[in-house]
Amino acid sequence: MFEKEKNEKQQANGVYDEAGDVVNVYDAAVIYQANDYNDAYMYGFTHEQLMDALDYVP
């Protein structure tokens, strides 16, 4: 797959941070935890999804 097509597909299905970059659930979970579980840093995920993702973050 071409890089441009891959990026477009990720953007169509992804969640974005303030810079417009795609954020996956694992990155969002770390950011959420680092910001004391502030709702502003949930990136569209639920608290439960983020807590589950933290179980898999090294």
Side-chain angles (χ1 to χ4, degrees):
M1 182 180 296
F2 294 100
E3 191 64 32
K4 181 179 177 184
E5 290 175 9
K6 183 178 176 185
N7 288 339
E8 288 173 358
K9 186 173 182 178
Q10 284 178 333
Q11 289 176 354
N13 297 324
V15 178
Y16 304 94
D17 65 5
E18 293 83 18
D21 297 324
V22 177
V23 178
N24 65 43
V25 68
Y26 304 106
D27 291 340
V30 171
I31 294 167
Y32 181 60
Q33 183 181 43
N35 286 285
D36 296 323
Y37 306 104
N38 184 330
D39 292 348
Y41 295 94
M42 294 177 76
Y43 297 101
F45 296 104
T46 66
H47 176 79
E48 291 77 19
Q49 289 172 315
L50 295 168
M51 292 296 97
D52 288 344
L54 283 174
D55 291 337
Y56 298 101
V57 174

